């Protein structure tokens, strides 16, 4: 099983360069970074985990800039977002960022996407909360048009793009309906999410990895109903606090990669946690 990591990198934590070098030297498989552009002070949305919203949410580094630094100082470490809030981006610009990072890293990039939870943050981007899933779906389709091998036009409900020259291209060849980098969708188990995964992704990023015994068979059924090859489905438990029993259970479910949570801390504390996680490599 590949052991990757995720962390809220901020202006107060270990730097992307130091962390990426330490991860690769120690044999970890990858680094995934979350995204929040800003957190409105007068927000009304409760923190999903309960209690006060942790400090790091309002101080998060831009994941593409940070992962670009990580790519420049590593050769094997995979790089990903967990997650990119697609609805909050201009899709033409985002398609260029994704393709450039994948190209410069030698095809090491995973695009983890999701729909978000902070209504106020999304509103400042002009996102209508009730249609954010449809908006994200539309923007992913537009980006796939730009990533296609030949100039391809797209006309959607929320946006359009003319047939265009758009380089560089992401490194991976198309996989069924998926064009672009490895794409995983985060979110809670359910028919809508599983239909989206089967339609335009390579797999699922379930946060915390709870309830997979019940949910993975349902995802596999949705995947097969969409005519996709079951051998290609990827389930990657995300932001996991590990123990041997949990990882053994994931292995029994056929899971090949897990993403462990690192603390949003300075270098000494992060390295201490990595020393502990080394037992799982």
């Amino acid at each position: 099983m590949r052991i990757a990591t995720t962390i809220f990198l901020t202006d107060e934590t270990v730097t992307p360069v130091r962390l990426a070098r330490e991860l690769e030297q120690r044999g970890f498989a990858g680094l995934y970074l979350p995204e929040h552009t800003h957190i409105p002070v007068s927000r009304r949305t409760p923190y999903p985990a309960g209690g006060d919203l942790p400090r790091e949410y309002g101080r998060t580094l831009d994941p593409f800039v940070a992962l670009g630094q990580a790519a420049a100082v590593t050769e094997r470490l995979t790089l990903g977002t967990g997650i990119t809030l697609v609805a909050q981006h201009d899709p033409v610009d985002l398609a260029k960022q994704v393709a450039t990072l994948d190209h410069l890293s030698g095809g090491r990039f995973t695009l983890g996407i999701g729909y978000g939870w902070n209504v106020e943050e999304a509103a400042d981007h002009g996102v209508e909360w009730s249609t954010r899933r449809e908006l994200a779906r539309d923007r992913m389709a537009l980006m796939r048009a730009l990533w296609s091998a030949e100039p391809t036009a797209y006309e959607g409900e929320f946006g359009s793009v003319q047939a265009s020259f758009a380089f560089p291209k992401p490194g991976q060849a198309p996989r069924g309906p998926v064009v672009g980098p490895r794409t995983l969708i985060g979110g809670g188990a359910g028919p809508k999410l599983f239909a989206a995964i089967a339609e335009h992704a390579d797999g699922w990023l379930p946060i915390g990895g709870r309830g997979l015994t019940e949910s993975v068979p349902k995802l596999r059924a949705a995947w097969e109903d969409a005519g996709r090859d079951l051998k290609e489905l990827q389930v990657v438990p995300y932001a996991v606090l590990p123990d041997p029993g949990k990882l053994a259970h994931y292995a029994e479910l056929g899971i090949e990669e897990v993403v462990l949570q690192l603390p949003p801390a300075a270098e000494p504390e992060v390295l201490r946690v990595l020393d502990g996680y080394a037992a799982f490599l």
Side-chain angles (χ1 to χ4, degrees), residues 62-179:
D62 178 276
F64 290 95
V65 175
L67 289 170
Q69 284 199 330
V73 297
T74 56
E75 296 180 352
R76 301 177 304 280
L77 190 74
T78 61
L79 311 159
T81 53
I83 56 163
T84 296
L85 297 165
V86 175
Q88 296 181 186
H89 287 266
D90 177 289
V92 179
D93 286 342
L94 183 59
K96 176 67 78 173
Q97 286 178 283
V98 167
T100 299
L101 180 53
D102 195 51
H103 170 72
L104 292 178
S105 67
R108 289 185 277 152
F109 182 64
T110 292
L111 178 62
I113 68 170
Y115 308 108
W117 60 268
N118 193 310
V119 178
E120 293 74 43
E121 177 186 359
D124 283 345
H125 288 277
V127 175
E128 180 67 39
W129 192 250
S130 63
T131 58
R132 71 193 189 283
R133 290 175 179 268
E134 292 78 9
L135 176 59
R137 177 180 180 271
D138 192 73
R139 289 184 170 173
M140 286 299 301
L142 189 155
M143 291 194 291
R144 289 196 299 275
L146 290 169
W147 293 331
S148 296
E150 299 297 329
T152 302
Y154 176 76
E155 183 72 36
E157 179 182 358
F158 298 94
S160 63
V161 69
Q162 303 172 58
S164 303
F165 298 109
F167 290 85
K169 302 295 185 185
Q172 283 200 47
R175 290 88 62 206
V178 185
V179 176

Side-chain angles (χ1 to χ4, degrees), residues 249-262:
H249 175 59
Y250 293 159
E252 291 172 357
L253 293 173
I255 288 168
E256 297 179 348
E257 180 182 1
V258 62
V259 183
L260 306 186
Q261 181 70 61
L262 293 171

